[in-house]
Amino acid sequence: MGTPEFAVETLRALVEGGYNVVAVVTQPDKPVGRHGSVLQPSAVKQYALAAGLPVLQPVKMKDPAFVDELRSYGANLQVVVAFRMLPEVVWAMPKYGTFNVHAALLPQYRGAAPINWAVINGETRTGISTFFLDHDIDTGRVIMREPFDIKPDFDAGDVYDGLMRLGAEVCLRTLGKIVEADGHPEAIAQDELSAAGEVLHAAPKIFKETCMIDWKKPAEAVRNFIRGLSPHPGAWTTLVAADGKRSVLKVYSAEPEFVGCDCEPGTMLRCGRQLGIAAGGGKAVVIRELQAAGKRRMASADFLNGMKDIESCRAE
């Protein structure tokens, strides 16, 4: 059960590993195009059809017709990767239960966007956890955890790619444990995995409003925010031009080193050939790549070439 590209790697590992994948469950095709007249199948559906696997696309997971069809496949085990919340009638159906491949070291970063939030929060390590589903989101007994280092210049896309591959590997190892233990591998309650006094970070779903940059925050926090939302959905700010015209400016990457400045947060300045934007703490964030409204993604040097009065502009 899965939808995005992240889930395809695990499905591929199962198929190529010789496991009998009896069916694939994914989201309904998504309307795309100017008028929403074209239906786009999920990445998981595209792979499943190419591999000759049956595909189920329920609108509602409790739909009796879907539940009956799912039961008819007689699966011993269900594997979930980047999918939606399942009702008990679904996750409790197989003989060996249902386990999830989650892109974080649980109990940290429970929720829909664990990769983004780990980078936003400046973590240097995250990982993959596999756990049995239960009634609450991301709280089940953990079967395996495997760490993954977040390098200083990694953005969310780099972590996504690394965890996508690691997730497939850990899934296969988890399956081995489940089969070896006849469906009852050692699994640890998440309460036992938290250190005394450890603060647990959540990973809620990200919306457009979530992605707005707060330039009053320290430069390091701003840079982490930018890389934690790159390449998708992208951090953004409002560009206020010298004439007062306002437009959206997406920011995709920034230099790891900051420039000292005695400016109000949001002030724009030239840092050599690159764009700098003042943040809190008396430092400016030096922008590498950005995208102005109606333009392509570009280096900040190229953006500056078309903005001769940049010192009269600001970011809000």
Side-chain angles (χ1 to χ4, degrees):
M1 299 184 178
T3 296
E5 179 192 11
F6 190 91
V8 174
E9 194 73 14
T10 298
L11 177 57
R12 180 184 292 110
L14 293 171
V15 172
E16 295 180 358
Y19 286 93
N20 181 22
V21 181
V22 294
V24 172
V25 182
T26 190
Q27 296 277 36
D29 294 358
K30 184 178 180 181
V32 295
R34 188 172 181 181
H35 304 290
S37 57
V38 178
L39 293 178
Q40 176 69 38
S42 72
V44 163
K45 179 179 178 179
Q46 293 178 54
Y47 176 83
L49 292 179
L53 302 173
V55 176
L56 287 66
Q57 296 179 273
V59 175
K60 296 182 179 179
M61 299 299 291
K62 291 183 179 180
D63 181 353
F66 162 69
V67 173
D68 287 345
E69 184 179 9
L70 183 64
R71 186 176 287 112
S72 72
Y73 285 99
N76 298 114
L77 178 71
Q78 291 172 159
V79 181
V80 179
V81 188
F83 198 52
R84 61 177 115 167
M85 186 175 179
L86 304 182
E88 183 174 2
V89 67
V90 172
W91 59 255
M93 186 184 296
K95 172 184 175 182
Y96 291 162
T98 301
F99 78 83
N100 188 289
V101 178
H102 187 74
L105 295 176
L106 292 171
Q108 290 288 358
Y109 295 101
R110 295 168 176 156
I115 293 174
N116 300 98
W117 286 109
V119 181
I120 288 170
N121 289 337
E123 303 285 2
T124 58
R125 191 180 79 153
T126 184
I128 289 292
S129 301
T130 53
F131 68 95
F132 283 116
L133 267 64
D134 62 14
H135 293 92
D136 298 314
I137 297 176
D138 299 339
T139 60
R141 293 172 297 121
V142 172
I143 309 163
M144 288 192 68
R145 293 199 305 175
E146 188 70 32
F148 177 87
D149 290 333
I150 303 176
K151 296 181 180 179
D153 209 35
F154 274 11
D155 62 20
D158 297 314
V159 180
Y160 182 101
D161 291 344
L163 291 184
M164 179 170 65
R165 294 187 292 270
L166 181 60
E169 296 171 12
V170 175
C171 174
L172 294 184
R173 281 187 270 149
T174 299
L175 277 168
K177 286 177 174 288
I178 291 173
V179 171
E180 184 179 341
D182 194 28
H184 301 283
E186 181 181 359
I188 304 171
Q190 291 190 30
D191 289 346
E192 298 178 27
L193 295 172
S194 297
E198 180 181 359
V199 176
L200 297 183
H201 298 285
K205 187 176 180 179
I206 290 174
F207 300 94
K208 180 181 178 182
E209 297 75 19
T210 314
C211 302
M212 184 174 67
I213 301 169
D214 181 359
W215 296 104
K216 295 184 179 67
K217 289 188 175 181
E220 184 176 3
V222 170
R223 179 177 179 268
N224 287 339
F225 187 79
I226 291 167
R227 67 191 187 102
L229 294 169
S230 180
H232 181 79
W236 63 273
T237 188
T238 299
L239 170 64
V240 184
D243 61 2
K245 184 178 179 181
R246 304 169 73 88
S247 60
V248 172
L249 187 70
K250 281 198 170 186
V251 184
Y252 290 102
S253 66
E255 298 287 351
E257 301 298 326
F258 311 112
V259 174
C261 68
D262 186 19
C263 307
E264 285 292 317
T267 301
M268 291 187 165
L269 55 148
R270 293 179 185 271
C271 297
R273 298 185 63 238
Q274 293 179 294
L275 171 67
I277 304 179
K283 293 182 180 180
V285 178
V286 181
I287 308 302
R288 285 177 177 168
E289 288 187 285
L290 48 72
Q291 184 176 17
K295 304 290 185 179
R296 59 177 177 81
R297 180 170 169 171
M298 66 183 78
S300 72
D302 296 331
F303 172 77
L304 284 180
N305 288 338
M307 296 287 290
K308 302 303 181 184
D309 57 348
I310 194 65
E311 290 82 1
S312 300
C313 303
R314 62 178 290 102
E316 292 184 352

Coordinates of all heavy atoms in Angstrom, one line a residue, residues 224-308:
N224 N 18.1 26.2 7.3 CA 17.6 24.8 7.5 C 16.1 24.7 7.0 O 15.7 23.7 6.4 CB 17.6 24.4 9.0 CG 19.0 24.1 9.5 OD1 19.9 23.8 8.7 ND2 19.2 24.2 10.8
F225 N 15.4 25.8 7.2 CA 14.0 25.8 6.7 C 14.0 25.7 5.2 O 13.2 25.0 4.6 CB 13.3 27.2 7.2 CG 11.9 27.2 6.9 CD1 10.9 26.6 7.7 CD2 11.4 28.0 5.8 CE1 9.6 26.7 7.5 CE2 10.0 28.1 5.6 CZ 9.1 27.5 6.4
I226 N 14.8 26.5 4.6 CA 14.9 26.5 3.1 C 15.3 25.1 2.6 O 14.6 24.5 1.7 CB 15.9 27.5 2.6 CG1 15.4 28.9 2.9 CG2 16.2 27.3 1.1 CD1 16.4 30.0 2.7
R227 N 16.3 24.5 3.1 CA 16.7 23.2 2.6 C 15.8 22.1 3.0 O 15.6 21.1 2.3 CB 18.2 22.8 3.0 CG 18.4 22.6 4.5 CD 19.9 22.6 4.8 NE 20.2 22.2 6.2 CZ 20.6 21.0 6.6 NH1 20.8 20.1 5.7 NH2 20.8 20.8 7.9
G228 N 15.0 22.3 4.1 CA 14.0 21.3 4.5 C 12.8 21.2 3.6 O 12.0 20.3 3.7
L229 N 12.6 22.3 2.8 CA 11.5 22.3 1.9 C 11.9 22.3 0.4 O 11.1 22.5 -0.5 CB 10.7 23.6 2.2 CG 10.0 23.6 3.6 CD1 9.5 25.0 3.8 CD2 8.9 22.6 3.7
S230 N 13.1 21.9 0.2 CA 13.7 21.9 -1.2 C 13.9 20.4 -1.6 O 14.5 19.6 -0.8 CB 15.0 22.6 -1.3 OG 15.5 22.6 -2.6
P231 N 13.6 20.0 -2.8 CA 13.0 20.8 -3.9 C 11.5 21.0 -3.8 O 11.0 21.7 -4.7 CB 13.4 20.0 -5.1 CG 13.4 18.6 -4.6 CD 13.9 18.6 -3.2
H232 N 10.8 20.3 -3.0 CA 9.4 20.4 -2.9 C 8.9 20.4 -1.5 O 9.4 19.6 -0.7 CB 8.7 19.2 -3.7 CG 7.3 19.2 -3.8 ND1 6.5 20.0 -4.6 CD2 6.3 18.5 -3.0 CE1 5.3 19.8 -4.4 NE2 5.1 18.9 -3.5
P233 N 7.9 21.2 -1.1 CA 7.2 22.1 -2.0 C 7.9 23.5 -2.2 O 7.4 24.3 -3.0 CB 5.9 22.3 -1.2 CG 6.3 22.2 0.2 CD 7.4 21.1 0.2
G234 N 8.9 23.8 -1.5 CA 9.7 25.0 -1.7 C 9.3 26.1 -0.7 O 8.2 26.4 -0.5
A235 N 10.3 26.6 0.0 CA 10.1 27.7 0.9 C 9.9 29.0 0.1 O 10.4 29.1 -1.0 CB 11.3 27.9 1.8
W236 N 9.1 29.9 0.6 CA 8.8 31.1 -0.2 C 8.7 32.3 0.7 O 8.6 32.2 1.9 CB 7.5 31.0 -1.0 CG 6.2 30.8 -0.1 CD1 5.7 29.6 0.4 CD2 5.4 31.8 0.4 NE1 4.6 29.8 1.1 CE2 4.3 31.2 1.2 CE3 5.3 33.2 0.3 CZ2 3.3 31.9 1.8 CZ3 4.3 33.9 0.9 CH2 3.3 33.3 1.6
T237 N 8.9 33.5 0.1 CA 8.8 34.8 0.8 C 8.1 35.7 -0.2 O 7.9 35.4 -1.4 CB 10.2 35.3 1.1 OG1 10.0 36.4 2.0 CG2 11.0 35.6 -0.1
T238 N 7.6 36.8 0.3 CA 7.0 37.9 -0.5 C 8.1 38.9 -0.9 O 8.7 39.5 0.0 CB 5.8 38.6 0.2 OG1 4.8 37.6 0.5 CG2 5.2 39.7 -0.7
L239 N 8.3 39.1 -2.2 CA 9.2 40.1 -2.7 C 8.5 41.4 -2.8 O 7.5 41.5 -3.6 CB 9.8 39.6 -4.0 CG 10.7 40.6 -4.8 CD1 11.9 41.0 -4.0 CD2 11.1 40.1 -6.1
V240 N 8.9 42.4 -2.1 CA 8.4 43.7 -2.2 C 9.3 44.6 -3.0 O 10.4 44.9 -2.5 CB 8.1 44.4 -0.8 CG1 7.4 45.7 -1.0 CG2 7.3 43.4 0.1
A241 N 9.0 44.9 -4.2 CA 9.8 45.7 -5.1 C 9.9 47.2 -4.7 O 9.1 47.6 -3.9 CB 9.4 45.6 -6.6
A242 N 10.8 47.9 -5.3 CA 11.0 49.3 -5.0 C 9.7 50.1 -5.2 O 9.5 51.1 -4.5 CB 12.1 49.9 -5.8
D243 N 8.9 49.7 -6.2 CA 7.7 50.4 -6.5 C 6.5 49.9 -5.6 O 5.3 50.3 -5.9 CB 7.3 50.3 -8.0 CG 7.1 48.9 -8.4 OD1 7.2 48.0 -7.6 OD2 6.9 48.7 -9.7
G244 N 6.8 49.0 -4.7 CA 5.7 48.5 -3.8 C 5.0 47.3 -4.4 O 4.2 46.7 -3.7
K245 N 5.3 46.9 -5.6 CA 4.7 45.7 -6.2 C 5.1 44.4 -5.4 O 6.3 44.3 -5.1 CB 5.1 45.5 -7.6 CG 4.4 44.4 -8.3 CD 4.7 44.3 -9.8 CE 4.0 43.2 -10.5 NZ 4.4 43.1 -11.9
R246 N 4.2 43.6 -5.1 CA 4.5 42.3 -4.3 C 4.3 41.1 -5.2 O 3.4 41.0 -6.0 CB 3.5 42.3 -3.1 CG 3.6 43.5 -2.2 CD 2.4 43.5 -1.2 NE 2.6 42.5 -0.2 CZ 3.3 42.7 0.9 NH1 3.8 43.9 1.2 NH2 3.4 41.8 1.9
S247 N 5.2 40.2 -5.0 CA 5.2 38.9 -5.7 C 5.8 37.8 -4.9 O 6.5 38.1 -3.9 CB 5.9 39.0 -7.1 OG 7.2 39.3 -6.9
V248 N 5.6 36.6 -5.3 CA 6.1 35.4 -4.5 C 7.5 35.1 -5.1 O 7.7 35.0 -6.3 CB 5.2 34.2 -4.6 CG1 5.8 33.0 -4.0 CG2 3.9 34.5 -3.9
L249 N 8.4 34.9 -4.1 CA 9.8 34.4 -4.5 C 10.1 33.1 -3.8 O 10.0 33.1 -2.5 CB 10.8 35.5 -4.1 CG 12.2 35.3 -4.5 CD1 12.4 35.5 -6.0 CD2 13.1 36.3 -3.8
K250 N 10.3 32.1 -4.5 CA 10.6 30.8 -3.9 C 12.1 30.7 -3.8 O 12.9 31.1 -4.6 CB 10.1 29.6 -4.8 CG 8.6 29.3 -4.6 CD 8.3 27.9 -5.1 CE 6.9 27.6 -4.6 NZ 6.6 26.1 -5.0
V251 N 12.6 30.1 -2.6 CA 14.0 30.0 -2.4 C 14.3 28.5 -2.2 O 13.7 27.9 -1.3 CB 14.4 30.8 -1.1 CG1 15.9 30.8 -0.9 CG2 13.9 32.3 -1.2
Y252 N 15.3 28.0 -3.0 CA 15.6 26.6 -3.0 C 16.8 26.2 -2.3 O 16.9 25.1 -1.8 CB 15.6 26.1 -4.4 CG 14.2 26.1 -5.1 CD1 13.9 27.0 -6.0 CD2 13.3 25.1 -4.8 CE1 12.6 27.0 -6.6 CE2 12.1 25.0 -5.4 CZ 11.7 26.0 -6.3 OH 10.5 26.0 -6.8
S253 N 17.8 27.1 -2.2 CA 19.0 26.7 -1.5 C 19.8 28.0 -1.1 O 19.7 29.0 -1.7 CB 19.9 25.8 -2.4 OG 20.4 26.5 -3.5
A254 N 20.6 27.8 -0.1 CA 21.4 28.9 0.5 C 22.8 28.4 0.9 O 23.0 27.2 1.2 CB 20.7 29.5 1.7
E255 N 23.7 29.3 0.9 CA 25.1 29.0 1.3 C 25.1 28.6 2.8 O 24.4 29.1 3.6 CB 26.0 30.1 1.1 CG 26.2 30.6 -0.4 CD 27.0 29.6 -1.2 OE1 27.6 28.6 -0.6 OE2 27.0 29.7 -2.4
P256 N 26.0 27.7 3.2 CA 26.2 27.3 4.6 C 26.8 28.4 5.5 O 26.7 28.4 6.7 CB 27.0 26.0 4.6 CG 27.8 26.1 3.3 CD 26.9 26.8 2.3
E257 N 27.5 29.3 4.8 CA 28.2 30.4 5.6 C 27.3 31.6 5.4 O 26.7 31.9 4.4 CB 29.6 30.6 5.0 CG 30.5 29.4 5.1 CD 30.8 29.0 6.5 OE1 30.8 29.9 7.4 OE2 30.9 27.8 6.7
F258 N 27.3 32.4 6.5 CA 26.5 33.6 6.6 C 27.3 34.9 6.6 O 28.5 34.8 6.9 CB 25.5 33.6 7.8 CG 24.8 32.3 7.9 CD1 25.1 31.4 9.0 CD2 23.9 31.9 7.0 CE1 24.5 30.2 9.1 CE2 23.2 30.7 7.1 CZ 23.5 29.8 8.2
V259 N 26.7 36.0 6.2 CA 27.4 37.3 6.1 C 26.9 38.2 7.2 O 25.7 38.3 7.4 CB 27.2 37.9 4.7 CG1 27.8 39.3 4.7 CG2 27.8 37.1 3.6
G260 N 27.8 38.8 8.0 CA 27.4 39.7 9.0 C 26.8 41.0 8.4 O 27.2 41.5 7.4
C261 N 25.7 41.4 9.0 CA 25.0 42.7 8.5 C 24.2 43.3 9.6 O 23.7 42.6 10.5 CB 24.2 42.4 7.3 SG 22.7 41.5 7.7
D262 N 24.2 44.6 9.6 CA 23.4 45.4 10.6 C 22.2 45.9 9.9 O 22.0 47.1 9.7 CB 24.3 46.5 11.1 CG 23.6 47.2 12.3 OD1 22.6 46.7 12.9 OD2 24.0 48.4 12.6
C263 N 21.3 45.0 9.5 CA 20.1 45.4 8.7 C 18.8 44.8 9.4 O 18.9 43.8 10.1 CB 20.2 44.9 7.3 SG 21.7 45.3 6.4
E264 N 17.7 45.3 9.1 CA 16.4 44.8 9.5 C 16.2 43.4 8.8 O 16.5 43.3 7.6 CB 15.3 45.7 9.2 CG 15.2 46.9 10.1 CD 14.8 46.5 11.5 OE1 13.9 45.7 11.7 OE2 15.4 47.1 12.4
P265 N 15.7 42.4 9.5 CA 15.4 41.2 8.8 C 14.5 41.4 7.6 O 13.5 42.2 7.6 CB 14.6 40.4 9.9 CG 15.1 40.9 11.2 CD 15.4 42.4 10.9
G266 N 14.9 40.7 6.5 CA 14.1 40.9 5.2 C 14.8 41.9 4.2 O 14.5 41.9 3.1
T267 N 15.8 42.6 4.7 CA 16.5 43.5 3.9 C 17.3 42.8 2.8 O 18.0 41.8 3.1 CB 17.5 44.4 4.7 OG1 16.7 45.2 5.6 CG2 18.3 45.4 3.8
M268 N 17.3 43.2 1.6 CA 18.0 42.5 0.5 C 19.3 43.3 0.2 O 19.3 44.5 0.2 CB 17.1 42.4 -0.8 CG 16.0 41.5 -0.6 SD 15.1 41.2 -2.2 CE 14.2 39.7 -1.9
L269 N 20.4 42.5 -0.1 CA 21.7 43.1 -0.3 C 22.5 42.3 -1.3 O 22.1 41.1 -1.5 CB 22.4 43.4 1.0 CG 22.6 42.2 1.9 CD1 24.0 42.3 2.6 CD2 21.5 42.0 2.9
R270 N 23.5 42.9 -1.8 CA 24.4 42.1 -2.7 C 25.5 41.5 -1.9 O 26.2 42.3 -1.1 CB 24.9 43.0 -3.8 CG 23.9 43.4 -4.8 CD 24.4 44.4 -5.9 NE 23.4 44.9 -6.7 CZ 22.9 44.2 -7.8 NH1 23.5 43.1 -8.2 NH2 21.9 44.7 -8.5
C271 N 25.7 40.2 -2.0 CA 26.9 39.5 -1.3 C 27.8 39.0 -2.4 O 27.6 37.8 -2.9 CB 26.4 38.4 -0.4 SG 25.3 39.0 1.0
G272 N 28.7 39.8 -2.9 CA 29.4 39.5 -4.1 C 28.5 39.4 -5.3 O 27.8 40.4 -5.5
R273 N 28.5 38.3 -6.0 CA 27.5 38.2 -7.1 C 26.2 37.5 -6.7 O 25.4 37.3 -7.6 CB 28.2 37.3 -8.2 CG 29.5 38.0 -8.8 CD 30.1 37.2 -9.9 NE 29.2 37.1 -11.0 CZ 28.7 36.0 -11.6 NH1 29.1 34.8 -11.0 NH2 27.9 36.0 -12.6
Q274 N 26.0 37.2 -5.4 CA 24.8 36.5 -5.0 C 23.9 37.4 -4.2 O 24.4 38.5 -3.6 CB 25.2 35.3 -4.2 CG 25.9 34.2 -5.0 CD 26.3 33.0 -4.2 OE1 27.1 33.1 -3.3 NE2 25.6 31.8 -4.5
L275 N 22.7 37.0 -4.0 CA 21.7 37.7 -3.3 C 21.8 37.4 -1.8 O 21.9 36.2 -1.4 CB 20.3 37.4 -3.8 CG 19.1 38.0 -2.9 CD1 19.1 39.5 -3.0 CD2 17.8 37.3 -3.4
G276 N 21.8 38.4 -0.9 CA 21.8 38.1 0.5 C 20.5 38.7 1.0 O 20.0 39.7 0.6
I277 N 19.9 38.0 2.0 CA 18.7 38.5 2.7 C 18.9 38.5 4.2 O 19.3 37.4 4.7 CB 17.4 37.7 2.3 CG1 17.2 37.7 0.8 CG2 16.2 38.3 3.0 CD1 16.0 36.9 0.4
A278 N 18.8 39.6 4.9 CA 19.1 39.7 6.3 C 18.1 38.9 7.1 O 16.9 38.9 6.9 CB 19.0 41.2 6.7
A279 N 18.6 38.1 8.1 CA 17.8 37.3 9.0 C 18.0 37.9 10.4 O 18.7 38.9 10.6 CB 18.2 35.9 8.9
G280 N 17.5 37.2 11.4 CA 17.7 37.6 12.7 C 19.1 37.3 13.2 O 19.8 36.6 12.6
G281 N 19.5 38.0 14.3 CA 20.9 37.8 14.8 C 22.0 38.5 14.1 O 23.2 38.1 14.3
G282 N 21.7 39.5 13.3 CA 22.7 40.2 12.7 C 23.5 39.5 11.6 O 24.6 39.9 11.3
K283 N 22.9 38.6 10.9 CA 23.5 37.9 9.8 C 22.6 37.8 8.6 O 21.3 37.7 8.8 CB 23.9 36.4 10.2 CG 25.1 36.4 11.3 CD 25.5 35.0 11.6 CE 26.6 35.0 12.6 NZ 27.0 33.6 13.0
A284 N 23.1 37.7 7.4 CA 22.4 37.6 6.2 C 22.5 36.2 5.6 O 23.6 35.6 5.7 CB 22.8 38.6 5.2
V285 N 21.5 35.6 5.1 CA 21.5 34.3 4.4 C 21.8 34.6 2.9 O 21.2 35.4 2.3 CB 20.2 33.6 4.5 CG1 20.2 32.3 3.8 CG2 19.8 33.4 6.0
V286 N 22.9 33.9 2.4 CA 23.3 34.1 1.0 C 22.6 33.0 0.2 O 22.8 31.8 0.4 CB 24.8 34.0 0.9 CG1 25.2 34.2 -0.6 CG2 25.5 35.0 1.8
I287 N 21.8 33.5 -0.7 CA 20.9 32.6 -1.5 C 21.7 32.1 -2.7 O 22.3 32.8 -3.5 CB 19.6 33.4 -2.0 CG1 18.9 34.1 -0.8 CG2 18.7 32.4 -2.7 CD1 18.5 33.1 0.3
R288 N 21.5 30.8 -3.0 CA 22.1 30.1 -4.1 C 21.2 30.1 -5.3 O 21.5 30.5 -6.4 CB 22.6 28.7 -3.8 CG 23.8 28.5 -3.0 CD 24.0 27.1 -2.7 NE 25.2 26.8 -1.9 CZ 25.5 25.6 -1.4 NH1 24.6 24.6 -1.5 NH2 26.6 25.4 -0.7
E289 N 20.0 29.5 -5.0 CA 19.0 29.3 -6.1 C 17.6 29.8 -5.7 O 17.2 29.6 -4.5 CB 18.9 27.8 -6.5 CG 20.1 27.3 -7.3 CD 19.8 25.9 -7.8 OE1 19.8 25.0 -6.9 OE2 19.5 25.7 -9.0
L290 N 16.9 30.4 -6.6 CA 15.5 30.9 -6.3 C 14.7 30.9 -7.6 O 15.2 30.5 -8.7 CB 15.6 32.3 -5.7 CG 16.5 33.3 -6.4 CD1 15.9 33.8 -7.7 CD2 16.7 34.5 -5.5
Q291 N 13.4 31.2 -7.4 CA 12.5 31.3 -8.6 C 11.6 32.4 -8.3 O 10.8 32.4 -7.4 CB 11.8 30.0 -8.7 CG 10.9 29.9 -10.0 CD 10.2 28.6 -10.1 OE1 10.2 27.7 -9.2 NE2 9.7 28.3 -11.3
A292 N 11.6 33.4 -9.2 CA 10.7 34.6 -9.2 C 9.4 34.2 -9.8 O 9.4 33.2 -10.6 CB 11.3 35.8 -9.9
A293 N 8.3 34.9 -9.5 CA 7.0 34.5 -10.0 C 7.0 34.6 -11.6 O 7.5 35.6 -12.1 CB 6.0 35.5 -9.5
G294 N 6.6 33.5 -12.2 CA 6.5 33.5 -13.7 C 7.8 33.2 -14.3 O 7.9 33.2 -15.6
K295 N 8.9 32.9 -13.6 CA 10.2 32.7 -14.1 C 10.6 31.2 -13.8 O 10.0 30.5 -13.0 CB 11.2 33.7 -13.5 CG 10.9 35.1 -13.7 CD 11.0 35.6 -15.1 CE 10.8 37.1 -15.3 NZ 10.9 37.5 -16.7
R296 N 11.7 30.8 -14.4 CA 12.3 29.5 -14.2 C 13.2 29.6 -12.9 O 13.5 30.7 -12.4 CB 13.2 29.1 -15.4 CG 14.3 30.1 -15.7 CD 15.2 29.6 -16.8 NE 16.2 30.5 -17.1 CZ 17.4 30.7 -16.4 NH1 17.6 29.9 -15.3 NH2 18.3 31.6 -16.7
R297 N 13.5 28.4 -12.4 CA 14.4 28.4 -11.3 C 15.8 28.8 -11.8 O 16.2 28.4 -12.9 CB 14.5 26.9 -10.7 CG 15.4 26.7 -9.6 CD 15.2 25.3 -9.0 NE 16.2 25.0 -8.0 CZ 16.1 23.9 -7.3 NH1 15.1 23.0 -7.4 NH2 17.1 23.6 -6.4
M298 N 16.5 29.6 -11.0 CA 17.8 30.2 -11.5 C 18.7 30.5 -10.3 O 18.3 30.5 -9.1 CB 17.5 31.5 -12.2 CG 17.0 32.6 -11.3 SD 16.6 34.2 -12.3 CE 15.0 33.7 -13.0
A299 N 20.0 30.7 -10.6 CA 21.0 31.1 -9.6 C 20.7 32.5 -9.2 O 20.2 33.3 -10.0 CB 22.4 31.0 -10.3
S300 N 21.0 32.8 -8.0 CA 20.6 34.2 -7.5 C 21.4 35.2 -8.2 O 21.0 36.4 -8.4 CB 20.9 34.3 -6.0 OG 22.3 34.3 -5.6
A301 N 22.6 34.9 -8.8 CA 23.4 35.8 -9.5 C 22.6 36.3 -10.8 O 22.6 37.4 -11.2 CB 24.8 35.2 -9.9
D302 N 22.0 35.3 -11.4 CA 21.2 35.6 -12.6 C 20.0 36.5 -12.2 O 19.6 37.4 -13.0 CB 20.7 34.3 -13.3 CG 21.8 33.5 -13.9 OD1 22.9 34.1 -14.2 OD2 21.7 32.3 -13.9
F303 N 19.4 36.2 -11.1 CA 18.3 37.0 -10.6 C 18.7 38.5 -10.4 O 18.0 39.4 -10.8 CB 17.7 36.4 -9.3 CG 16.7 37.2 -8.6 CD1 15.4 37.3 -9.1 CD2 17.0 38.0 -7.5 CE1 14.4 38.1 -8.4 CE2 16.1 38.7 -6.8 CZ 14.8 38.8 -7.3
L304 N 19.9 38.6 -9.8 CA 20.4 40.0 -9.5 C 20.7 40.8 -10.8 O 20.6 42.0 -10.8 CB 21.7 39.9 -8.7 CG 21.5 39.6 -7.2 CD1 22.9 39.5 -6.6 CD2 20.6 40.6 -6.5
N305 N 21.0 40.1 -11.9 CA 21.3 40.7 -13.2 C 20.1 41.5 -13.7 O 20.2 42.5 -14.4 CB 21.7 39.7 -14.2 CG 23.1 39.2 -14.0 OD1 23.9 39.9 -13.3 ND2 23.4 38.1 -14.5
G306 N 18.9 41.0 -13.3 CA 17.7 41.7 -13.7 C 17.1 42.6 -12.6 O 15.9 43.1 -12.8
M307 N 17.8 42.8 -11.5 CA 17.3 43.6 -10.4 C 18.3 44.6 -10.0 O 19.0 44.4 -9.0 CB 16.9 42.6 -9.2 CG 15.8 41.6 -9.5 SD 14.2 42.4 -9.5 CE 14.0 42.8 -7.8
K308 N 18.5 45.6 -10.8 CA 19.5 46.6 -10.5 C 19.3 47.4 -9.2 O 20.2 47.9 -8.6 CB 19.6 47.6 -11.7 CG 19.8 47.0 -13.0 CD 21.1 46.2 -13.0 CE 21.4 45.5 -14.4 NZ 22.6 44.7 -14.4

